[in-house]
Amino acid sequence: MDKASSDTLVRVQNTLSSLGNVTHRSLFGGYSLAINDAVFAMLVEGRLYLRASDQSRDYQQAHNPPMLVCTRRGRHISLNYYLADETLWRSPSALREHARIALDCAQAEKTERARERRVKDLPNLNVQLEMSLWEAGIRDVETLCAFGAKECWLKLRKARKNLSLHVLYALQGAITGTHEAALPTQIREELLEWFMQFSVQNQS
């Protein structure tokens, strides 16, 4: 990260600390800024851009801040982020309020995307397993995550007595967004131990 962006990132983290922990990732030649995985701002060449929304429209119309334009593969791409200018930086409370609005918008969009995802779209899962989960009363991603891998596996096993350890790994990976083969060793061992204990206790 260049010094200008690094310095601005520190200012952002200090100013917005009351909103949560601001994390960053490299993106489009700059850095995306997020709180709880909801991207609400971009940091490019030391300049902060906030996510635009209906709630920020009045400010944008009054101050006409530049929008973020990135270059990718020789093409200019306009992004829905507006520059946090000196007017905002001079008033930390105003900057926090605009950042809060941007964060609320990002979180709402993230929640909506999660609702729209089907179970089969998660790692390791397919239409057949989605149908089995549906029949077991697990009909969306939110419910799957709320129950957790073990409880979902137990519900599936009521209809399939020979349900395998592989399915347990697949469910855990789906919930954490990880391919089952890439599950951390500690998680795999803990699931294996639980599976073996369950199998012993339920031997016919």
Side-chain angles (χ1 to χ4, degrees):
M1 180 180 290
D2 60 274
K3 187 178 187 305
S5 293
S6 179
D7 290 345
T8 302
L9 177 60
V10 172
R11 291 180 68 191
V12 169
Q13 290 173 327
N14 290 337
T15 304
L16 305 184
S17 60
S18 61
L19 300 180
N21 181 41
V22 178
T23 59
H24 67 282
R25 292 181 61 183
S26 179
L27 183 68
F28 292 143
Y31 301 89
S32 64
L33 303 185
I35 293 177
N36 294 328
D37 294 326
V39 176
F40 70 96
M42 291 287 295
L43 183 59
V44 179
E45 296 179 349
R47 292 187 288 272
L48 175 67
Y49 293 82
L50 295 171
R51 188 186 191 105
S53 66
D54 290 342
Q55 288 75 20
S56 66
R57 185 176 300 161
D58 289 345
Y59 177 86
Q60 291 177 254
Q61 290 177 343
H63 296 268
N64 195 30
M67 300 299 287
L68 176 59
V69 177
C70 292
T71 302
R72 190 175 188 188
R73 297 177 182 175
R75 296 177 57 191
H76 295 301
I77 303 173
S78 180
L79 301 180
N80 193 37
Y81 291 80
Y82 65 94
L83 179 67
D85 54 21
E86 286 304 313
T87 301
L88 291 180
W89 280 111
R90 283 195 295 267
S91 174
S93 60
L95 180 58
R96 276 192 295 272
E97 177 60 15
H98 280 263
R100 183 195 62 76
I101 291 171
L103 179 60
D104 286 348
C105 176
Q107 290 173 332
E109 184 175 302
K110 180 184 174 185
T111 300
E112 185 62 27
R113 284 201 308 267
R115 287 198 187 114
E116 292 175 352
R117 279 190 307 170
R118 285 182 54 179
V119 170
K120 73 173 183 63
D121 297 326
L122 298 177
N124 314 313
L125 305 188
N126 53 33
V127 174
Q128 182 179 358
L129 194 49
E130 180 185 56
M131 291 177 62
S132 296
L133 287 165
W134 179 277
E135 292 169 355
I138 302 164
R139 301 181 176 181
D140 53 49
V141 174
E142 185 176 4
T143 304
L144 177 73
C145 294
F147 277 129
K150 295 174 185 176
E151 185 64 26
C152 290
W153 187 90
L154 289 172
K155 288 180 177 295
L156 289 173
R157 189 183 177 278
K158 291 179 180 179
R160 294 168 56 187
K161 295 301 182 183
N162 62 341
L163 198 63
S164 68
L165 174 63
H166 168 80
V167 174
L168 182 61
Y169 287 155
L171 291 169
Q172 181 64 39
I175 291 170
T176 58
T178 307
H179 189 280
E180 61 179 282
L183 284 172
T185 301
Q186 182 179 353
I187 298 296
R188 294 179 69 89
E189 290 178 349
E190 191 272 330
L191 291 174
L192 173 60
E193 181 180 356
W194 179 86
F195 177 85
M196 296 302 294
Q197 289 178 350
F198 178 87
S199 299
V200 170
Q201 293 170 1
N202 289 271
Q203 283 180 343
S204 55

